[in-house]
Amino acid sequence: MAELPVPDLPPARCSGRFTISTLLGMEEGGRGPYTPTEGSSCDSVQPTHLSSSTLCTRTFGYNTVDVVPAYEHYANSKGVGDPRKGRPSLADLHSILKPDPGRLRTPVSDLQQSNGLPEAGLEAGLEESEGEPGRDSAPEPVRFGWVKGVMIRCMLNIWGVILYLRLPWITAQAGIALTWLIILMSVTVTTITGLSISAISTNGKVKSGGTYFLISRSLGPELGGSIGLIFAFANAVAVAMHTVGFAETVRDLLQEHNSLIVDPTNDIRIIGVITVTVLLGISLAGMEWEAKAQILFFLVILVSFINYLVGTVIPATAEKQAKGFFSYRADIFAQNFVPNWRGPEGSFFGLFSIFFPSATGILAGANISGDLKDPAVAIPKGTLMAIFWTTMSYLVLSATIGACVVRDASGSLNDSVAVGSSGCEGLACSFGWNFTACTQQQNCRYGLSNYYQSMSMVSGFGPLITAGIFGATLSSALACLVSAPKVFQCLCKDQLYPLIGFFGKGYGKNSEPIRGYMLTYVIAIGFILVAELNAIAPIISNFFLCSYALINFSCFHASITNSPGWRPSFRYYSKWAALFGAAVSVVIMFLLTWWAALIAFGIVIFLLGYVLYKKPDVNWGSSMQASSYNMALNYSVGLNEVDEHIKNYRPQCLVLTGPPNFRPALVDFVGTFTKNLSLMLCGNVLIGPRKQKMPESQLMAEGHTKWLMKRKIKAFYTNVVAEDLRSGVQMLIQAAGLGKMRPNILVLGYKKDWRTASPQSLEDYVGILHDAFDFKYGVCLMRMKEGLNVSRVLQAHVNPTFEAAEHPKNGTGSRAAPGTVDPTTLANEQQASTIFQSEQGKKTIDIYWLFDDGGLTLLIPYLLGRKKRWGKCKIRVFVGGQINRMDEERKAIVSLLSRFRLGFHEVHILPDINQKPRPEHIKRFDELIAPFRLNDGFKDEATVNEMRQSCPWKISDEEVDKNRAKSLRQVRLNEILLDYSRDAALIAITPPIGRKGRCPSSLYMAWLETLSQDLRPPIILTRGNQENVLTFYCQ
């Protein structure tokens, strides 16, 4: 731990060893026991700019700025490296403390308790209201526990009209055994989904947004956003569906009593609009009133169940017997135990598709996650208990009604006969009833197979079943009416889609989405007025199943990526069960309605594509990010097992850009031919003391990476701190890359100021080229007439906040360099346009393949020519030759190039390459090297050696004479370039190599200067490492 340089304190105030509880406990009046007070010895120490705890805090018996673990140190943590509240930075602990008299220490927060956690009532407020001392305390929002908030809500949403009107009919068709199988298959899917929800909801703090929040924070905004939008819409339309179900039941009652309002269709519309308006009023009254209404509906449904079960044990009257009800009978149970398929829907999967929607609704509790006291406890417990109890109710209902009611009955009291009468067929004969006639003619009106109201007939008091139907439909409609705005509000706040932010505003203590309620109300009214929901209903079911599939896939994906951040406190889940649940959900989508499944997938893919295109600036730590890391890691490690082959050679470039925004042309050039093909690494050497430059390195790395992304350059950025440029580049050359993904080409800009630069910088520059060859790198030098470095232009746009007069302090306490832009400004600066970003038209790319370097001089222009902007350029290849063998040499080169399959057909032989250059050009070269000559021709050998040692960059007369032919060759080549390639789009040429220790750096730079001077197009001086990068073999 870092100790503070504080003087000895009086024993009365700061002596002995203290517990965590003592350190964090606060004295009355808000002062800590070790907060500096007037006259205390702590005032003798200047406070520092640390982030928490006072200077006089003691722990473990000595002074330290370290703090004990506390809740607020982790609250609101967003990403790796973000500063935490109250915790000192690493520099505060590791570096020498610098007093800052201008700032006072803040005492330990009064939210800290003896266990390092906030009080229960304050935990929710830490993230929103911390740091606002003058703010009035907001009224406490309504929060629900797991019973009222999740279990009852889910049970009401799972129960529906199918329970009352279709389950008896399904039991008659499929038999009790297969009905139980259908129920258990449906429940298997919902249970697996429930387990997945439980795992996801316990992996961190869950906020409002329900299903959308869980999926988006797990899988990312792409899938989360698309499913959030369609799930909110599906809930809004489901309000209309359930309301119409209620309105149809009321309409049927009115028809029975001949009391229709207008006509059957318009009655549904009138009743539906009135009903949904009343439900909206309940919702707008607040979550408390909505919860009370749900409890009322729940009690009504329970009473209807009890009423039904009581009815099954009451002895059947003659009227009920005529309708097929005979109380519990073993032979009725045995007959109804096996299937009896009837009609077009009489198949196992046909009945499964009818029943499955009644098992859904398990997300109703999760959808109001923001209104739960503890979502991590309430969602798993409430959801799984709701699934269990509703499953039991389905199983009990199918078994009991299957043991009491026969499949066919006439309903006529005249069909009673004596037991054992002749001519009577069927099970009812043994009970004294003859339903043979209607059974044979298939026109029976009653019985399980024909009468949907069998539950009402069996029950002790029929109207209570009707009340149960009302409760089931209205509760489901109310749950959907609340769910849709809550999910949509969270989606609006995330701003993934345009034009929807207006609906995200919350009102009141619960942040109620009033605007979202009104939008849901309008959508529901629209579909109620259609009054024909048979077409839209399958799409809604598929939208819900889409959500189930993605929730299960989220759980599986988060588990399979092995991310350390996946630590759900709910352990009773399986990643393979979650994957099975996702697959089965997709299969069921197509079993229910294949065309609706295709529509659902089409909408999801469209919304997914939109978010992928827009790339919202959010970072939720999704499993997709973890998966990307896993895939990259596995493939990178897997490359170690792959032997290198010339056919798979890729130019992997280490580009010495410095700050990439300083040399945009160099970045664009390399980015053009490496994009989606090979590695590009932008290297920057920060020269200076490590202690001074490290903060700058950390501050700027993120900004440079964002700048590259904004410019759509697929590259990495890395920097090193070194004492000089050459040692820094040596570090990069040796350490850059990963495994087989290591650079093999060093790309750098031409040193335009080499004549005026310091001799040491000249030595370092040429030494870098030697180092690259020593490490078997290829070298690519780029020169442009206007230069590459645009830093002077950028200096005019430096953020004035960062001028030398007023340096900001970064997170480590050291000062930023003068003229340095902050990362945000850097990423948002105006992008400089370069020649490599514009269409080149029908120009030429001229390749001067003068020396065989392995083919790199050919490969880079070939890759450049494959890009759209350079695609219209004609590529010409120039090689040296003899005037008397031009045709033979041209044919040989054309044959070689055709074997390489590069598509280069225009080849020119340069027979005059060895001619003597013009005298004025020779004179210009001599004048170029004159300032760098030793002029040692008449000096003794000892003096010459001493001069060479003190000025190794200078050129001796002997070296001038030895390299005369080579020097003239560069002068002549420049003349040829000016003659043939003055109007080219790009020139690529093989440069000479200066022998290490034999060619002074100034002479080598004079060669490069002479070779490339006065040329308008960019010139690329490319030299491979003399190993093949091209092959014409297929193995």
Side-chain angles (χ1 to χ4, degrees):
M1 292 188 180
E3 298 183 20
L4 291 174
V6 295
D8 293 333
L9 301 175
R13 285 192 58 82
C14 298
S15 62
R17 191 183 302 268
F18 301 96
T19 64
I20 290 176
S21 153
T22 309
L23 289 172
L24 292 180
M26 304 305 296
E27 289 183 340
E28 292 183 8
R31 304 180 69 99
Y34 302 106
T35 305
T37 57
E38 189 174 341
S40 77
S41 60
C42 296
D43 292 338
S44 61
V45 182
Q46 295 287 1
T48 67
H49 50 280
L50 300 180
S51 51
S52 102
S53 182
T54 63
L55 281 177
C56 288
T57 300
R58 283 190 171 202
T59 184
F60 307 114
Y62 59 88
N63 292 336
T64 177
V65 297
D66 257 339
V67 294
V68 294
Y71 173 88
E72 55 265 37
H73 298 167
Y74 297 88
N76 270 340
S77 58
K78 299 268 173 85
V80 177
D82 287 355
R84 308 285 186 250
K85 296 179 183 177
R87 185 187 303 154
S89 69
L90 185 60
D92 292 336
L93 299 174
H94 182 250
S95 304
I96 297 173
L97 286 173
K98 296 178 182 178
D100 185 359
R103 296 184 61 176
L104 296 175
R105 298 296 303 127
T106 359
V108 180
S109 169
D110 58 1
L111 291 177
Q112 289 178 314
Q113 303 299 318
S114 60
N115 58 358
L117 295 173
E119 293 177 0
L122 294 173
E123 181 175 345
L126 269 172
E127 297 179 357
E128 286 82 17
S129 62
E130 200 168 66
E132 300 179 30
R135 178 177 173 179
D136 295 335
S137 58
E140 185 68 21
V142 178
R143 294 284 186 255
F144 303 113
W146 70 273
V147 175
K148 188 192 290 188
V150 181
M151 188 185 79
I152 291 178
R153 192 175 296 275
C154 286
M155 289 177 72
L156 288 171
N157 215 20
I158 293 171
W159 284 329
V161 290
I162 290 177
L163 170 69
Y164 292 97
L165 302 182
R166 290 293 183 272
L167 191 56
W169 174 77
I170 292 173
T171 303
Q173 288 266 3
I176 296 171
L178 290 184
T179 300
W180 277 36
L181 181 60
I182 288 172
I183 294 169
L184 293 175
M185 282 178 60
S186 303
V187 169
T188 299
V189 177
T190 56
T191 303
I192 291 173
T193 308
L195 294 174
S196 298
I197 291 172
S198 302
I200 296 172
S201 63
T202 57
N203 188 51
K205 187 172 182 179
V206 178
K207 298 182 180 179
S208 62
T211 308
Y212 160 70
F213 185 88
L214 295 176
I215 296 177
S216 63
R217 269 52 175 183
S218 182
L219 283 179
E222 296 84 8
L223 283 171
S226 57
I227 205 64
L229 200 59
I230 65 171
F231 187 75
F233 177 76
N235 270 285
V237 180
V239 175
M241 276 187 58
H242 295 301
T243 305
V244 168
F246 168 78
E248 285 181 349
T249 309
V250 176
R251 190 269 317 267
D252 292 342
L253 289 175
L254 293 174
Q255 274 185 323
E256 286 181 15
H257 296 87
N258 295 319
S259 302
L260 286 176
I261 304 170
V262 182
D263 58 65
T265 303
N266 283 318
D267 279 12
I268 291 176
R269 292 169 178 160
I270 294 169
I271 298 167
V273 170
I274 294 172
T275 304
V276 80
T277 305
V278 173
L279 293 178
L280 176 67
I282 295 173
S283 301
L284 293 178
M287 289 298 294
E288 202 168 358
W289 284 95
E290 187 267 349
K292 291 176 181 177
Q294 293 285 30
I295 291 176
L296 176 63
F297 293 141
F298 183 71
L299 293 176
V300 169
I301 293 176
L302 285 185
V303 170
S304 71
F305 275 167
I306 295 169
N307 171 54
Y308 159 75
L309 292 174
V310 169
T312 59
V313 297
I314 296 175
T317 61
E319 289 182 359
K320 286 189 177 183
Q321 287 184 353
K323 294 179 180 180
F325 173 62
F326 297 98
S327 293
Y328 290 105
R329 305 280 181 150
D331 42 2
I332 295 178
F333 181 86
Q335 187 187 55
N336 288 337
F337 191 77
V338 295
N340 181 18
W341 310 112
R342 299 183 187 183
E345 295 169 332
S347 65
F348 180 81
F349 284 109
L351 294 178
F352 177 81
S353 66
I354 291 172
F355 174 79
F356 183 79
S358 68
T360 61
I362 60 172
L363 300 177
N367 286 338
I368 63 158
S369 54
D371 296 300
L372 301 175
K373 289 178 182 175
D374 188 355
V377 173
I379 292 175
K381 201 171 179 180
T383 303
L384 296 176
M385 289 299 289
I387 293 173
F388 173 78
W389 287 116
T390 51
T391 303
M392 294 304 299
S393 67
Y394 285 142
L395 295 175
V396 168
L397 193 148
S398 62
T400 52
I401 204 162
C404 297
V405 185
V406 296
R407 283 193 170 102
D408 294 296
S410 64
S412 173
L413 294 173
N414 297 326
D415 287 340
S416 60
V417 295
V419 176
S421 299
S422 60
C424 183
E425 297 179 5
L427 188 60
C429 298
S430 59
F431 307 134
W433 291 87
N434 184 4
F435 301 136
T436 307
C438 75
T439 303
Q440 291 175 347
Q441 295 173 12
Q442 296 184 353
N443 61 357
C444 295
R445 292 180 57 198
Y446 295 95
L448 283 182
S449 295
N450 310 294
Y451 189 47
Y452 289 155
Q453 304 282 355
S454 294
M455 272 189 72
S456 181
M457 181 264 292
V458 170
S459 67
F461 183 60
L464 282 178
I465 298 298
T466 304
I469 295 173
F470 288 173
T473 52
L474 292 178
S475 63
S476 297
L478 189 57
C480 292
L481 183 59
V482 171
S483 297
K486 295 283 185 182
V487 172
F488 194 57
Q489 182 184 33
C490 185
L491 181 63
C492 293
K493 288 182 177 179
D494 287 337
Q495 298 179 341
L496 299 183
Y497 299 102
L499 307 177
I500 62 174
F502 172 80
F503 298 100
K505 183 174 175 58
Y507 297 86
K509 59 185 180 181
N510 272 51
S511 187
E512 294 289 349
I514 304 296
R515 296 172 180 175
Y517 280 125
M518 299 310 297
L519 179 64
T520 305
Y521 175 73
V522 170
I523 294 173
I525 289 287
F527 282 97
I528 287 170
L529 293 178
V530 171
E532 181 56 57
L533 294 176
N534 289 340
I536 201 72
I539 299 178
I540 295 171
S541 297
N542 277 305
F543 282 170
F544 285 123
L545 279 166
C546 255
S547 305
Y548 291 0
L550 283 175
I551 286 174
N552 284 308
F553 183 72
S554 299
C555 182
F556 165 76
H557 199 261
S559 303
I560 204 72
T561 53
N562 292 322
S563 172
W566 175 249
R567 302 185 302 274
S569 55
F570 182 86
R571 300 290 182 184
Y572 306 103
Y573 73 95
S574 165
K575 59 186 176 185
W576 301 115
L579 180 63
F580 173 75
V584 169
S585 297
V586 174
V587 170
I588 292 174
M589 287 176 68
F590 284 93
L591 284 178
L592 292 180
T593 320
W594 65 268
W595 57 266
L598 291 177
I599 291 174
F601 275 113
I603 294 173
V604 170
I605 290 170
F606 173 77
L607 295 173
L608 171 68
Y610 176 82
V611 179
L612 284 172
Y613 173 75
K614 294 298 289 184
K615 291 182 178 156
D617 186 19
V618 293
N619 182 13
W620 295 327
S622 68
S623 61
M624 287 299 181
Q625 294 171 324
S627 175
S628 298
Y629 176 85
N630 273 9
M631 290 175 62
L633 180 63
N634 291 334
Y635 283 129
S636 298
V637 172
L639 278 176
N640 291 331
E641 302 173 8
V642 179
D643 293 331
E644 294 181 356
H645 194 281
I646 302 172
K647 286 201 309 183
N648 293 326
Y649 174 86
R650 292 169 187 261
Q652 305 190 112
C653 300
L654 170 60
V655 191
L656 300 184
T657 59
N661 58 321
F662 281 12
R663 294 173 179 82
L666 189 63
V667 171
D668 290 340
F669 163 65
V670 180
T672 301
F673 70 81
T674 59
K675 186 175 184 179
N676 300 326
L677 177 81
S678 59
L679 175 70
M680 176 180 173
L681 195 63
C682 295
N684 183 16
V685 179
L686 299 173
I687 301 172
R690 182 170 60 88
K691 189 175 180 181
Q692 177 186 343
K693 290 294 179 179
M694 280 304 293
E696 181 184 341
S697 165
Q698 297 166 0
L699 182 69
M700 300 305 294
E702 182 184 355
H704 290 312
T705 301
K706 287 182 177 179
W707 183 89
L708 289 168
M709 291 170 62
K710 185 178 179 182
R711 202 171 180 86
K712 297 183 179 177
I713 300 293
K714 296 190 175 182
F716 299 98
Y717 170 83
T718 186
N719 53 38
V720 294
V721 178
E723 295 298 326
D724 57 75
L725 178 66
R726 186 175 181 182
S727 61
V729 175
Q730 287 173 343
M731 292 180 199
L732 287 171
I733 289 175
Q734 294 179 82
L738 183 70
K740 293 291 180 73
M741 293 183 64
R742 299 179 65 85
N744 49 29
I745 300 173
L746 181 70
V747 183
L748 66 166
Y750 177 74
K751 188 172 178 62
K752 198 174 181 181
D753 64 342
W754 66 274
R755 281 173 286 182
T756 58
S758 65
Q760 186 57 48
S761 68
L762 178 62
E763 281 283 285
D764 285 348
Y765 183 81
V766 177
I768 287 169
L769 303 181
H770 289 310
D771 293 337
F773 290 129
D774 287 343
F775 288 107
K776 297 219 177 256
Y777 272 56
V779 170
C780 182
L781 279 168
M782 180 178 178
R783 182 175 186 182
M784 294 180 69
K785 187 175 182 180
E786 61 273 19
L788 293 172
N789 195 333
V790 298
S791 58
R792 290 185 178 178
V793 179
L794 290 178
Q795 289 300 324
H797 301 287
V798 170
N799 188 339
T801 309
F802 286 78
E803 292 298 337
E806 187 182 358
H807 305 309
K809 295 176 182 175
N810 60 23
T812 59
S814 59
R815 298 182 181 274
T820 303
V821 292
D822 66 298
T824 305
T825 305
L826 177 62
N828 295 331
E829 75 176 18
Q830 186 176 0
Q831 297 277 351
S833 178
T834 68
I835 187 176
F836 298 99
Q837 291 181 314
S838 56
E839 292 285 341
Q840 297 303 310
K842 295 184 178 180
K843 297 181 181 178
T844 62
I845 298 176
D846 291 348
I847 305 172
Y848 289 81
W849 195 24
L850 305 177
F851 307 103
D852 191 352
D853 60 345
L856 186 63
T857 308
L858 295 173
L859 182 62
I860 290 178
Y862 165 73
L863 296 175
L864 203 62
R866 287 168 48 176
K867 302 301 179 179
K868 184 178 179 181
R869 292 188 181 115
W870 297 79
K872 294 180 181 178
C873 292
K874 183 170 64 175
I875 298 180
R876 303 188 298 179
V877 180
F878 297 83
V879 293
Q882 300 175 16
I883 194 166
N884 56 347
R885 299 185 67 248
M886 282 180 60
D887 289 341
E888 293 87 344
E889 290 180 351
R890 185 179 181 282
K891 286 179 182 177
I893 294 297
V894 169
S895 174
L896 178 62
L897 293 177
S898 66
R899 290 173 182 268
F900 286 147
R901 305 173 307 282
L902 296 172
F904 301 165
H905 303 297
E906 187 171 340
V907 177
H908 298 268
I909 304 299
L910 302 173
D912 53 352
I913 196 169
N914 290 319
Q915 288 182 3
K916 189 173 181 180
R918 290 195 282 273
E920 62 270 22
H921 294 159
I922 298 175
K923 182 181 178 183
R924 184 170 63 176
F925 176 79
D926 290 337
E927 290 173 352
L928 181 66
I929 63 172
F932 301 97
R933 296 188 62 168
L934 281 174
N935 296 315
D936 57 339
F938 302 101
K939 296 183 176 68
D940 59 84
E941 187 174 348
T943 306
V944 170
N945 289 335
E946 185 180 347
M947 292 172 66
R948 284 181 176 177
Q949 287 180 358
S950 60
C951 302
W953 62 88
K954 290 206 169 184
I955 313 165
S956 67
D957 293 350
E958 181 186 1
E959 289 164 338
V960 171
D961 294 337
K962 274 186 179 180
N963 292 289
R964 189 66 179 172
K966 200 169 186 178
S967 300
L968 294 178
R969 180 77 172 273
Q970 312 313 315
V971 178
R972 177 60 188 151
L973 281 174
N974 179 252
E975 293 176 350
I976 292 172
L977 293 178
L978 288 169
D979 288 341
Y980 287 92
S981 302
R982 189 182 297 272
D983 298 321
L986 181 75
I987 300 172
I989 188 169
T990 316
I993 292 183
R995 192 171 296 278
K996 189 166 58 173
R998 292 287 183 268
C999 178
S1001 55
S1002 55
L1003 178 60
Y1004 185 69
M1005 290 304 298
W1007 289 347
L1008 299 183
E1009 175 73 26
T1010 301
L1011 179 63
S1012 58
Q1013 67 186 353
D1014 299 334
L1015 292 169
R1016 186 197 59 80
I1019 180 167
I1020 311 299
L1021 302 147
T1022 309
R1023 189 81 195 210
N1025 62 358
Q1026 302 304 114
E1027 294 182 3
N1028 288 352
V1029 300
L1030 296 172
T1031 181
F1032 40 75
Y1033 295 110
C1034 63
Q1035 63 179 13

PDB file of all heavy atoms in Angstrom, residues 313 373 378 419 462 471 811 815 864 876 967:
ATOM      1  N   VAL A 313     -67.783 -32.709  -8.329  1.00  0.00           N
ATOM      2  CA  VAL A 313     -68.131 -33.689  -7.294  1.00  0.00           C
ATOM      3  C   VAL A 313     -69.617 -33.627  -6.927  1.00  0.00           C
ATOM      4  O   VAL A 313     -70.116 -34.491  -6.209  1.00  0.00           O
ATOM      5  CB  VAL A 313     -67.273 -33.477  -6.025  1.00  0.00           C
ATOM      6  CG1 VAL A 313     -65.797 -33.713  -6.336  1.00  0.00           C
ATOM      7  CG2 VAL A 313     -67.474 -32.086  -5.441  1.00  0.00           C
ATOM      8  N   LYS A 373     -39.014  -4.637  -6.580  1.00  0.00           N
ATOM      9  CA  LYS A 373     -38.088  -4.299  -5.490  1.00  0.00           C
ATOM     10  C   LYS A 373     -36.711  -4.884  -5.743  1.00  0.00           C
ATOM     11  O   LYS A 373     -35.695  -4.218  -5.598  1.00  0.00           O
ATOM     12  CB  LYS A 373     -38.649  -4.825  -4.159  1.00  0.00           C
ATOM     13  CG  LYS A 373     -39.877  -4.075  -3.656  1.00  0.00           C
ATOM     14  CD  LYS A 373     -40.380  -4.698  -2.354  1.00  0.00           C
ATOM     15  CE  LYS A 373     -41.655  -3.972  -1.876  1.00  0.00           C
ATOM     16  NZ  LYS A 373     -42.236  -4.624  -0.689  1.00  0.00           N
ATOM     17  N   ALA A 378     -37.016 -11.546  -7.754  1.00  0.00           N
ATOM     18  CA  ALA A 378     -38.433 -11.642  -8.111  1.00  0.00           C
ATOM     19  C   ALA A 378     -38.638 -12.348  -9.443  1.00  0.00           C
ATOM     20  O   ALA A 378     -39.547 -13.184  -9.567  1.00  0.00           O
ATOM     21  CB  ALA A 378     -39.047 -10.240  -8.154  1.00  0.00           C
ATOM     22  N   VAL A 419     -80.874 -49.109 -18.361  1.00  0.00           N
ATOM     23  CA  VAL A 419     -79.519 -49.650 -18.487  1.00  0.00           C
ATOM     24  C   VAL A 419     -79.601 -51.047 -19.096  1.00  0.00           C
ATOM     25  O   VAL A 419     -80.398 -51.894 -18.662  1.00  0.00           O
ATOM     26  CB  VAL A 419     -78.829 -49.709 -17.114  1.00  0.00           C
ATOM     27  CG1 VAL A 419     -77.456 -50.359 -17.238  1.00  0.00           C
ATOM     28  CG2 VAL A 419     -78.717 -48.318 -16.538  1.00  0.00           C
ATOM     29  N   GLY A 462     -72.671 -21.677 -13.263  1.00  0.00           N
ATOM     30  CA  GLY A 462     -72.151 -21.339 -14.589  1.00  0.00           C
ATOM     31  C   GLY A 462     -71.657 -19.917 -14.756  1.00  0.00           C
ATOM     32  O   GLY A 462     -70.594 -19.695 -15.343  1.00  0.00           O
ATOM     33  N   GLY A 471     -62.199 -12.332 -16.383  1.00  0.00           N
ATOM     34  CA  GLY A 471     -60.969 -12.053 -15.619  1.00  0.00           C
ATOM     35  C   GLY A 471     -59.720 -12.410 -16.398  1.00  0.00           C
ATOM     36  O   GLY A 471     -58.725 -11.666 -16.408  1.00  0.00           O
ATOM     37  N   GLY A 811      -6.068  11.580 -16.129  1.00  0.00           N
ATOM     38  CA  GLY A 811      -6.473  10.763 -14.999  1.00  0.00           C
ATOM     39  C   GLY A 811      -5.354  10.378 -14.067  1.00  0.00           C
ATOM     40  O   GLY A 811      -5.595   9.995 -12.937  1.00  0.00           O
ATOM     41  N   ARG A 815       0.560  16.186 -16.614  1.00  0.00           N
ATOM     42  CA  ARG A 815       0.009  17.173 -17.546  1.00  0.00           C
ATOM     43  C   ARG A 815       0.204  16.712 -18.986  1.00  0.00           C
ATOM     44  O   ARG A 815       1.194  16.103 -19.337  1.00  0.00           O
ATOM     45  CB  ARG A 815       0.691  18.527 -17.323  1.00  0.00           C
ATOM     46  CG  ARG A 815       0.437  19.065 -15.928  1.00  0.00           C
ATOM     47  CD  ARG A 815       1.088  20.426 -15.749  1.00  0.00           C
ATOM     48  NE  ARG A 815       0.871  20.919 -14.414  1.00  0.00           N
ATOM     49  CZ  ARG A 815      -0.179  21.593 -14.030  1.00  0.00           C
ATOM     50  NH1 ARG A 815      -1.143  21.819 -14.876  1.00  0.00           N
ATOM     51  NH2 ARG A 815      -0.315  22.031 -12.795  1.00  0.00           N
ATOM     52  N   LEU A 864      -3.373  -2.904 -55.172  1.00  0.00           N
ATOM     53  CA  LEU A 864      -3.965  -1.575 -55.275  1.00  0.00           C
ATOM     54  C   LEU A 864      -4.902  -1.498 -56.482  1.00  0.00           C
ATOM     55  O   LEU A 864      -5.989  -0.905 -56.405  1.00  0.00           O
ATOM     56  CB  LEU A 864      -2.837  -0.545 -55.405  1.00  0.00           C
ATOM     57  CG  LEU A 864      -3.128   0.901 -54.988  1.00  0.00           C
ATOM     58  CD1 LEU A 864      -3.466   0.961 -53.511  1.00  0.00           C
ATOM     59  CD2 LEU A 864      -1.939   1.792 -55.303  1.00  0.00           C
ATOM     60  N   ARG A 876       1.573  -0.638 -66.036  1.00  0.00           N
ATOM     61  CA  ARG A 876       2.708  -0.829 -66.947  1.00  0.00           C
ATOM     62  C   ARG A 876       3.921  -1.280 -66.137  1.00  0.00           C
ATOM     63  O   ARG A 876       4.173  -0.762 -65.046  1.00  0.00           O
ATOM     64  CB  ARG A 876       3.026   0.463 -67.692  1.00  0.00           C
ATOM     65  CG  ARG A 876       1.842   1.027 -68.476  1.00  0.00           C
ATOM     66  CD  ARG A 876       2.272   2.196 -69.344  1.00  0.00           C
ATOM     67  NE  ARG A 876       2.799   3.309 -68.562  1.00  0.00           N
ATOM     68  CZ  ARG A 876       3.262   4.439 -69.115  1.00  0.00           C
ATOM     69  NH1 ARG A 876       3.283   4.586 -70.439  1.00  0.00           N
ATOM     70  NH2 ARG A 876       3.713   5.416 -68.349  1.00  0.00           N
ATOM     71  N   SER A 967      25.692   5.916 -58.202  1.00  0.00           N
ATOM     72  CA  SER A 967      25.111   7.250 -58.050  1.00  0.00           C
ATOM     73  C   SER A 967      24.574   7.748 -59.381  1.00  0.00           C
ATOM     74  O   SER A 967      23.465   8.291 -59.464  1.00  0.00           O
ATOM     75  CB  SER A 967      26.165   8.226 -57.510  1.00  0.00           C
ATOM     76  OG  SER A 967      26.638   7.809 -56.250  1.00  0.00           O
TER      77      SER A 967
END
